[in-house]
Amino acid sequence: MSLFNQIPQLSKDTLRAGKKAIDASFKDFSREYGDLIELIFEPVKWLLIKSENFLTDTSWIIILVLIASIAWLGSKSIKIVIGSVLTLLLIGYLGMWENTMKTISMTFVAAILAISIGIPIGILMARSNIALRIASPILDVMQTMPSFVYLIPVVMLLGIGKVPGLLAVIIYAIPPIIRLTNLGIRLVNNNVMEAGHAYGASYAQRLTKIQIPLALPTIMAGINQTIMLALSMVVIASMIGVQGLGQPVLQAIQNQFFTLGMMNGFAIVGIAIIFDRVTQAYGKRMQKYQETVDEQ
Amino acid sequence: MSNKEYIQIQNINKIFGPNPESVLDLVADGIGKSELQSKHNHVLALQDINIGIKKNKIQVFMGLSGSGKSTLIRHLNQLIHPTSGNVIIDGEDITSMSDKEITNFRRNKIAMGFQKFALLPHRTVLSNTYFGLEIRGVEKKEREKEALKWIDRVGLNGFENYYPNQLSGGMQQRVGLARALTNDAPILLMDEPFSALDPLIRMDMQDMLVQLEKELNKTIIFITHDLDEALRLGDNIAILRDGKIIQEGDGQEIVLNPENSYISKFVSEVNRGRVIQCKTIMKKEINQELTNEAIVSPDMTIEEAAKIITESGLDIGSVLNNKGKLVGTISVQDIVASIVTPIKYKND
């Protein structure tokens, strides 16, 4: 066998031994620290359970009114509100209310966490080119690594259940909010920033009075993307025990239940559209100042 | 330099590039701008700028694009730091201030207007106007009161709650002016504030600025590429070319004695009648009866004088100083001659 035909390769034995050694040390690590890490995530677990209990235990009428009012506050559009209510009524009528609530709860908690972690990271990336250089490749990995792959260490560390599921969803959903916060701030017009400097604004003042308000439409687009990704991850997360609309879908795949799969699939699409329209309409309303009045 | 000079710009050099200090000696030895750029990969933006600016006057820096005028004005609030040299304002060297000191200085001593207005698009006219006071931490009621006063003064009454995008360019620049004035800083930097405006609105704004300067006693540093504008506004004018000041003086000096062919080319386009004053061309020997119908003052431009003299039906006007004493005579012929006199310049 010449070098021309065969790419240089580690011997199979070395490779196997290497993999085994890494696996073993990671197993040791999770045995050693698994409990500690679970303890760290205790507050998150508490939040997940509280939010899920609230959504599933409260009367459906109250939840419907609540979601309708949030939709109204966000979009100020009666069309979007009616659409949301009808979608949810249909979901309930077809017997998917409880699973939908579980999915909404998971998406909600994941999105809140992703946004509150992602925005500060995005701000840091916009401020420092070093942070940008460090974060960019990590974000690339997060966005392209098949989600099944990082489910493995998450499950090894935390077992199956809500918290590992949440972690997987956040890893999957956080890159857009980080990237778009950074982008939005970097796109703020230089002239305006110069005016901030000229009037003696401090870094915090420039950030809160100029950069964030002007980047807000872009940041809103990031929030929208993060919510959408979180929602689309629930099916995959159902493989590690996350309850909700993902589980019946998984069951349908395994048993070839066409109708069950379709129904739950469309329920996910339905709530995705509600989330999307409401956040987009909200983002658009924040850009009101960009409209010009007609010449009189 | 005399103590009366409120702002002193001393030996400012500004070089842009990877290592500006390393080529400073070459610049001191007189290396040319193009050689520095091609051989050493540095851009010479300003070269040995020295000028004193008097308090409560309008100092104009005039030059074409690339002359370094915008770079120079940014040295006065340290948006740009010089490679070498000092800027001394009211006895303090602002080039050696710490970040905190310079922030304080910008908040209280100096305000700025911009060519592209640089208003905050997400804020209304009102909250754009009090931006400087907000940065300074002035209470909301107080800053709104102050802002409304200046919005009114620049003629934008009733537009407080509009967004900048809803206003025309001229109105936006009025907001920029109101923002600068609301800060109540003694120094006002104006970086080509009127060049994006159409000619009629530009004239309005120029008149407003001159009026304000008289009322408010502010030191105004004004940048323009338009000699007419420089002559209308400037108590003192400095002309920049390739990062150097090539002539400095009041409007009449520049129009009557352009330093070189470059300046005389600009000057030839100027309406000299609006720049030259009676005292410059009047005949001092008085051999004539005082004619009461055509009286002009020494500081009047010859264009105005010509109007008064011709309207009175005479050929010659009497120049009376502010005490009513006859100091000279001026004929329509002299006026016409000085308007059309071919321009002579000192050098080259």
Side-chain angles (χ1 to χ4, degrees):
Chain A
M1 245 197 302
S2 69
L3 196 63
F4 186 75
N5 290 318
Q6 178 66 45
I7 193 161
Q9 195 181 16
L10 272 175
S11 85
K12 287 206 169 97
D13 290 340
T14 324
L15 207 56
R16 194 180 307 121
K19 286 178 196 164
K20 256 188 175 164
I22 294 172
D23 282 356
S25 63
F26 191 72
K27 263 183 199 147
D28 287 344
F29 173 81
S30 26
R31 224 170 274 137
E32 189 98 353
Y33 296 102
D35 291 342
L36 180 74
I37 292 170
E38 257 176 70
L39 202 68
I40 294 171
F41 284 104
E42 208 55 40
V44 179
K45 195 173 171 184
W46 178 85
L47 186 66
L48 274 169
I49 292 171
K50 281 285 164 201
S51 126
E52 191 175 308
N53 286 349
F54 172 74
L55 280 167
T56 48
D57 294 349
T58 316
S59 151
W60 64 273
I61 299 176
I62 295 176
I63 298 296
L64 206 57
V65 171
L66 200 68
I67 293 179
S69 9
I70 292 173
W72 170 252
L73 287 178
S75 67
K76 295 274 153 111
S77 151
I78 199 73
K79 247 164 67 186
I80 291 175
V81 174
I82 291 173
S84 309
V85 170
L86 287 181
T87 308
L88 287 169
L89 282 176
L90 186 64
I91 284 171
Y93 196 65
L94 294 174
M96 296 180 290
W97 183 265
E98 188 162 337
N99 277 338
T100 302
M101 287 306 118
K102 285 177 177 167
T103 292
I104 290 179
S105 163
M106 175 58 105
T107 311
F108 174 75
V109 174
I112 294 280
L113 288 174
I115 290 163
S116 45
I117 299 166
I119 289 180
I121 296 176
I123 291 171
L124 190 70
M125 274 171 76
R127 186 180 191 185
S128 138
N129 283 331
I130 296 173
L132 181 75
R133 271 203 294 273
I134 295 171
S136 289
I138 299 176
L139 291 174
D140 291 339
V141 171
M142 284 164 83
Q143 281 184 301
T144 47
M145 177 75 81
S147 25
F148 300 103
V149 175
Y150 59 74
L151 283 181
I152 303 165
V154 169
V155 171
M156 282 171 81
L157 273 175
L158 296 164
I160 57 168
K162 284 190 177 62
V163 174
L166 180 81
L167 219 57
V169 173
I170 290 178
I171 294 172
Y172 186 69
I174 207 171
I177 183 66
I178 298 179
R179 283 194 199 275
L180 286 167
T181 301
N182 167 53
L183 180 72
I185 290 177
R186 282 178 186 263
L187 283 182
V188 169
N189 191 322
N190 251 339
N191 291 322
V192 182
M193 286 308 289
E194 191 177 43
H197 281 285
Y199 282 87
S202 64
Y203 172 70
Q205 284 172 326
R206 292 197 301 273
L207 189 66
T208 56
K209 291 180 199 295
I210 302 176
Q211 288 176 314
I212 291 187
L214 288 177
L216 218 46
T218 315
I219 295 176
M220 262 323 277
I223 290 177
N224 175 287
Q225 283 306 298
T226 289
I227 294 175
M228 292 299 111
L229 287 184
L231 198 52
S232 66
M233 186 67 186
V234 291
V235 175
I236 294 165
S238 71
M239 289 172 64
I240 54 168
V242 171
Q243 292 184 319
L245 292 168
Q247 281 200 328
V249 172
L250 196 63
Q251 203 187 335
I253 295 169
Q254 282 158 352
N255 300 302
Q256 300 181 354
F257 294 154
F258 171 70
T259 320
L260 180 73
M262 281 307 243
M263 265 167 50
N264 285 278
F266 273 111
I268 293 175
V269 172
I271 53 177
I273 291 176
I274 296 175
F275 285 165
D276 180 67
R277 295 301 182 272
V278 172
T279 48
Q280 275 204 26
Y282 183 65
K284 222 176 196 169
R285 281 206 299 125
M286 286 190 312
Q287 298 177 62
K288 266 252 141 64
Y289 61 80
Q290 289 183 344
E291 290 169 13
T292 51
V293 284
D294 293 328
E295 299 276 332
Q296 275 138 8
Chain B
M1 262 176 230
S2 84
N3 294 331
K4 271 189 196 161
E5 279 157 355
Y6 187 51
I7 301 173
Q8 292 168 43
I9 298 175
Q10 299 174 340
N11 313 316
I12 291 284
N13 286 297
K14 179 66 191 177
I15 302 158
F16 290 109
N19 189 2
E21 274 84 13
S22 67
V23 293
L24 203 52
D25 287 340
L26 295 173
V27 171
D29 293 342
I31 190 174
K33 191 173 173 163
S34 52
E35 197 187 342
L36 190 73
Q37 191 150 10
S38 56
K39 285 194 184 158
H40 302 276
N41 196 25
H42 281 72
V43 177
L44 181 55
L46 291 173
Q47 194 176 355
D48 198 29
I49 302 285
N50 280 288
I51 190 171
I53 297 167
K54 293 202 173 64
K55 199 170 182 169
N56 301 342
K57 296 279 177 196
I58 301 183
Q59 167 71 46
V60 174
F61 289 101
M62 199 222 112
L64 300 183
S65 41
S67 62
K69 56 193 193 303
S70 284
T71 307
L72 180 57
I73 200 174
R74 278 165 178 71
H75 279 80
L76 294 174
N77 59 358
Q78 289 295 291
L79 287 178
I80 295 176
H81 197 75
T83 308
S84 71
N86 303 87
V87 178
I88 291 161
I89 295 182
D90 203 10
E92 276 186 284
D93 185 355
I94 64 163
T95 43
S96 62
M97 280 183 174
S98 68
D99 283 355
K100 210 173 173 183
E101 285 171 315
I102 200 72
T103 298
N104 239 329
F105 170 79
R106 286 176 189 158
R107 286 182 183 181
N108 298 301
K109 282 268 176 83
I110 204 156
M112 192 165 181
F114 299 87
Q115 180 179 10
K116 288 175 186 152
F117 321 136
L119 300 173
L120 303 174
H122 62 291
R123 287 173 161 238
T124 60
V125 168
L126 180 66
S127 67
N128 260 296
T129 307
Y130 65 55
F131 179 70
L133 295 183
E134 184 180 328
I135 293 299
R136 217 192 275 170
V138 174
E139 216 184 306
K140 187 161 177 151
K141 251 190 191 158
E142 173 77 25
R143 64 183 194 235
E144 278 187 359
K145 196 181 118 207
E146 198 62 18
L148 284 171
K149 187 175 101 190
W150 290 108
I151 288 171
D152 187 45
R153 181 63 188 81
V154 299
L156 284 177
N157 227 336
F159 288 96
E160 296 84 11
N161 296 317
Y162 280 60
Y163 287 101
N165 271 10
Q166 299 172 314
L167 304 179
S168 68
M171 288 159 98
Q172 290 190 41
Q173 194 53 285
R174 280 165 199 264
V175 179
L177 192 58
R179 172 173 70 181
L181 292 168
T182 303
N183 241 26
D184 197 26
I187 305 168
L188 207 54
L189 305 179
M190 302 291 260
D191 181 21
E192 291 201 55
F194 306 148
S195 22
L197 308 179
D198 60 60
L200 280 179
I201 294 173
R202 191 186 310 169
M203 291 250 270
D204 274 354
M205 297 289 283
Q206 288 165 354
D207 289 341
M208 182 188 281
L209 191 72
V210 171
Q211 194 61 39
L212 284 166
E213 194 260 346
K214 277 181 193 149
E215 276 172 40
L216 302 170
N217 289 329
K218 288 195 187 298
T219 308
I220 299 175
I221 320 293
F222 195 99
I223 296 285
T224 182
H225 60 249
D226 175 4
L227 186 61
D228 278 312
E229 185 168 68
L231 293 168
R232 273 175 74 95
L233 296 175
D235 293 308
N236 193 53
I237 298 167
I239 298 179
L240 282 163
R241 188 189 188 189
D242 290 340
K244 276 187 274 196
I245 293 180
I246 50 175
Q247 189 172 4
E248 191 206 330
D250 68 20
Q252 284 201 91
E253 270 171 62
I254 285 168
V255 170
L256 294 173
N257 302 308
E259 193 77 29
N260 56 35
S261 56
Y262 179 76
I263 298 172
S264 72
K265 232 185 286 167
F266 279 112
V267 167
S268 62
E269 301 297 321
V270 163
N271 180 343
R272 296 152 60 81
R274 286 197 194 138
V275 178
I276 300 169
Q277 295 170 344
C278 293
K279 65 178 175 213
T280 315
I281 61 160
M282 70 184 182
K283 288 200 173 68
K284 293 224 174 85
E285 60 271 22
I286 302 155
N287 50 10
Q288 181 141 352
E289 292 293 298
L290 178 67
T291 47
N292 280 324
E293 287 130 295
I295 292 171
V296 299
S297 75
D299 293 334
M300 205 175 261
T301 62
I302 55 175
E303 191 183 67
E304 285 174 274
K307 191 162 175 272
I308 291 172
I309 297 166
T310 47
E311 273 174 3
S312 68
L314 298 167
D315 290 335
I316 292 177
S318 317
V319 184
L320 262 59
N321 68 11
N322 52 9
K323 286 173 196 141
K325 189 172 172 267
L326 185 68
V327 290
T329 60
I330 186 165
S331 70
V332 174
Q333 222 173 2
D334 292 339
I335 293 175
V336 172
S338 59
I339 290 177
V340 300
T341 302
I343 289 127
K344 289 176 245 151
Y345 42 86
K346 289 186 216 159
N347 305 331
D348 61 43

